């Protein structure tokens, strides 16, 4: 057993497949955020455009929930899209939604100027929040930036159904759009890396059979997302690739060579036995469909982050939460694993459920 570590040391050692003093506990976006905002005496709209508010909320969430990392931006998946012209509906107590897309067709790709990322007040707010987190937490805590992969960002720039149709009918234009969005993503990643993030959490949820065939994903996702990941890694950041889709193409995620794969559910038949073990039998009480727990790190040579089912929160069953923690910790490899939920814990999750989660985790250290 390693000597006691800081949260950052624990997180980094897990990513690098090294020994840890205990299993790291990862936090996604702004899980159970309503209780944090209530303690702050604020609502979502108060802190959404405030660098101090974002940082304060993340630090307070960590004090309340005991995880080993913080994240900015949290929850909202529209930062880059807003910077590139997407108009938003700002909600008082929920994440913003899209009011209007800047493009009606991928043929209008030349309207996207990647340099708008560098001019964006919203991006600047996020970057300044990272600076505050770095100043306040120093090197004690793993600081995570959050962003979209280029294909995910495309669906925030162009109405999704139009994008999907034009991936078949306007391929050249879609590729031209993705080239611009990849540069936009790289510029955004650079801003976060310059401000001091240790790694970047990339939402890549469109890499899934729920939406596309493998050929379509390979054509429109793989090249661009891999370019982004390689850039982040070449500039000193770890990449956490997040895909919580039920039928995610995990083999495609692994081809991206992220440092961490954050996963949720999986279809055993779709994924194949070579990627892990079926864990339906050990996840007994959640009523889940067939799921996948990655078991042997030698198979994939990447740190795994998961796999607590966020759907167990909000149903009033503390036993389900405890069972999820036990099941995931029992299935986890000894090295190269970060315990977390497979996606965000709902905003309205009670403090009692979060306390149950932490007690279930900490009791097994």
């Amino acid at each position: 057993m390693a000597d006691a570590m800081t949260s950052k040391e624990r997180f980094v050692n897990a990513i690098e497949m090294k020994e840890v003093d205990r299993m790291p506990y990862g936090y996604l976006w702004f899980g159970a955020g309503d209780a944090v905002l209530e303690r702050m005496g604020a609502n979502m709209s108060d802190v959404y455009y405030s660098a101090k508010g974002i940082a304060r909320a993340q630090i307070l969430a960590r004090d309340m929930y005991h995880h080993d990392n913080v994240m900015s931006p949290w929850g909202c998946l529209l930062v880059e899209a807003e910077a590139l012209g997407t108009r938003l509906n700002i909600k008082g107590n929920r994440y913003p939604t899209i009011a209007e897309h800047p493009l009606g067709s991928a043929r209008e790709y030349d309207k996207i100027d990647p340099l708008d990322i560098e001019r964006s007040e919203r991006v600047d707010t996020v970057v300044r929040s990272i600076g505050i987190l770095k100043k306040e937490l120093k090197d004690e805590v793993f600081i995570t930036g959050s962003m979209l992969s280029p294909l995910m960002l495309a669906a925030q720039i162009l109405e999704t159904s139009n994008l999907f149709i034009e991936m078949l009918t306007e391929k050249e234009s879609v590729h031209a759009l993705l080239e611009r969005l990849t540069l936009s993503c790289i510029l955004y990643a650079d801003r976060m890396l310059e401000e001091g993030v240790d790694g970047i959490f990339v939402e890549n949820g469109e890499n899934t059979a729920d939406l596309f065939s493998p050929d379509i994903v390979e054509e429109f996702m793989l090249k661009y997302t891999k370019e982004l990941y390689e850039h982040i890694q070449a500039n000193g950041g770890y990449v956490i690739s997040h895909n919580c889709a039920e039928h995610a193409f995990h083999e495609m995620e692994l081809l991206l060579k992220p440092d961490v794969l954050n996963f949720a559910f999986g279809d055993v038949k779709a994924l194949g036995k070579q990627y892990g073990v079926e864990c339906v039998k050990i996840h007994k009480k959640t009523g889940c469909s067939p799921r996948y727990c990655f078991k042997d790190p030698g198979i994939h040579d990447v740190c795994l982050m998961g796999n607590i089912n966020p759907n167990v929160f909000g149903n009033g069953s503390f036993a389900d939460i405890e069972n999820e923690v036990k099941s995931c910790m029992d299935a986890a490899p000894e090295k190269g694993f970060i315990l977390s939920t497979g996606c965000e814990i709902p905003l309205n999750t009670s403090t009692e459920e979060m306390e149950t989660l932490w007690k279930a985790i900490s009791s097994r250290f």
Side-chain angles (χ1 to χ4, degrees):
M1 179 66 68
D3 294 333
M5 296 176 168
T6 65
S7 285
K8 179 177 176 178
E9 289 170 340
R10 187 175 299 121
F11 225 82
V12 169
N13 272 28
I15 292 173
E16 296 183 351
M17 302 286 189
K18 297 176 181 177
E19 189 176 359
V20 293
D21 59 342
R22 65 164 174 81
M23 186 179 291
Y25 170 32
Y27 182 68
L28 307 190
W29 294 305
F30 196 36
D34 285 353
V36 179
L37 293 172
E38 182 178 355
R39 189 169 296 187
M40 291 174 64
N43 62 27
M44 186 73 77
S45 60
D46 293 329
V47 298
Y48 183 76
Y49 284 102
S50 167
K52 290 182 179 178
I54 293 170
R56 183 183 169 207
Q58 279 291 301
I59 291 171
L60 180 56
R62 183 170 180 268
D63 289 341
M64 294 170 65
Y65 305 143
H66 314 289
H67 39 273
D68 289 304
N69 69 303
V70 290
M71 181 180 288
S72 178
W74 35 252
C76 177
L77 302 178
L78 297 172
V79 173
E80 307 97 302
E82 183 178 5
L84 295 172
T86 298
R87 291 181 55 243
L88 305 185
N89 294 311
I90 305 300
K91 308 288 186 178
N93 288 299
R94 288 293 178 267
Y95 295 126
T97 58
I98 293 175
E100 184 178 345
H101 298 89
L103 303 186
S105 166
R107 295 189 300 273
E108 301 172 349
Y109 64 84
D110 58 352
K111 292 183 178 179
I112 297 299
D113 183 355
L115 292 178
D116 283 340
I117 293 289
E118 297 184 342
R119 295 185 280 258
S120 166
E121 291 185 13
R122 176 66 179 132
V123 168
D124 190 59
T125 297
V126 170
V127 170
R128 285 188 290 111
S129 76
I130 292 168
I132 295 170
L133 289 168
K134 190 72 174 178
K135 181 178 179 181
E136 294 290 328
L137 300 173
K138 300 180 172 61
D139 278 334
E140 293 292 314
V141 180
F142 190 93
I143 298 175
T144 317
S146 176
M147 65 185 303
L148 301 181
S149 65
L151 184 56
M152 285 290 295
L153 179 54
Q156 319 300 329
I157 296 295
L158 175 63
E159 202 279 323
T160 305
S161 61
N162 289 348
L163 174 64
F164 290 179
I165 292 169
E166 292 189 343
M167 289 167 76
L168 301 174
T169 62
E170 297 284 346
K171 288 190 174 186
E172 289 187 6
S173 295
V174 173
H175 281 297
L177 174 62
L178 287 169
E179 287 174 1
R180 293 194 174 214
L181 295 180
T182 301
L183 179 54
S184 301
C185 291
I186 286 172
L187 292 174
Y188 185 33
D190 283 344
R191 293 290 310 277
M192 291 191 282
L193 290 165
E194 289 164 2
E195 202 61 37
V197 295
D198 299 300
I200 298 181
F201 184 94
V202 184
E203 165 64 71
N204 195 38
E206 291 196 340
N207 176 24
T208 174
D210 297 307
L211 297 173
F212 302 117
S213 70
D215 289 344
I216 291 291
V217 172
E218 184 172 0
E219 179 177 358
F220 291 100
M221 182 281 293
L222 190 62
K223 169 188 173 183
Y224 304 105
T225 304
K226 190 172 179 60
E227 181 180 350
L228 172 63
Y229 285 12
E230 289 177 345
H231 180 87
I232 293 169
Q233 292 164 332
N235 286 275
Y238 297 102
V239 172
I240 302 173
S241 192
H242 170 76
N243 190 335
C244 63
E246 186 170 350
H247 300 94
F249 294 126
H250 285 119
E251 69 275 19
M252 206 87 73
E253 294 288 333
L254 297 176
L255 289 174
L256 297 169
K257 298 189 181 301
D259 299 288
V260 183
L261 175 59
N262 178 223
F263 66 103
F265 313 112
D267 183 303
V268 175
K269 183 177 179 181
L271 294 173
K273 291 182 179 179
Q274 66 269 35
Y275 295 111
V277 294
E278 184 178 353
C279 62
V280 176
K281 293 180 180 178
I282 61 174
H283 288 89
K284 294 177 180 176
K285 295 186 178 180
T286 60
C288 58
S289 58
R291 293 176 52 176
Y292 236 53
C293 277
F294 291 82
K295 182 77 172 178
D296 182 358
I299 293 174
H300 37 70
D301 194 31
V302 63
C303 177
L304 300 171
M305 184 174 178
N307 177 33
I308 297 169
N309 184 351
N311 295 330
V312 301
F313 298 94
N315 67 6
S317 175
F318 295 153
D320 282 356
I321 296 172
E322 293 167 348
N323 181 72
E324 277 292 297
V325 171
K326 178 181 184 300
S327 298
C328 292
M329 293 182 80
D330 286 349
E334 292 184 5
K335 294 181 180 179
F337 188 81
I338 298 168
L339 181 69
S340 76
T341 48
C343 198
E344 184 180 42
I345 296 171
L347 287 172
N348 62 355
T349 297
S350 69
T351 54
E352 291 80 10
E353 287 179 298
M354 294 302 289
E355 288 167 0
T356 298
L357 173 62
W358 175 242
K359 286 178 182 177
I361 295 170
S362 59
S363 67
R364 296 173 61 86
F365 290 157

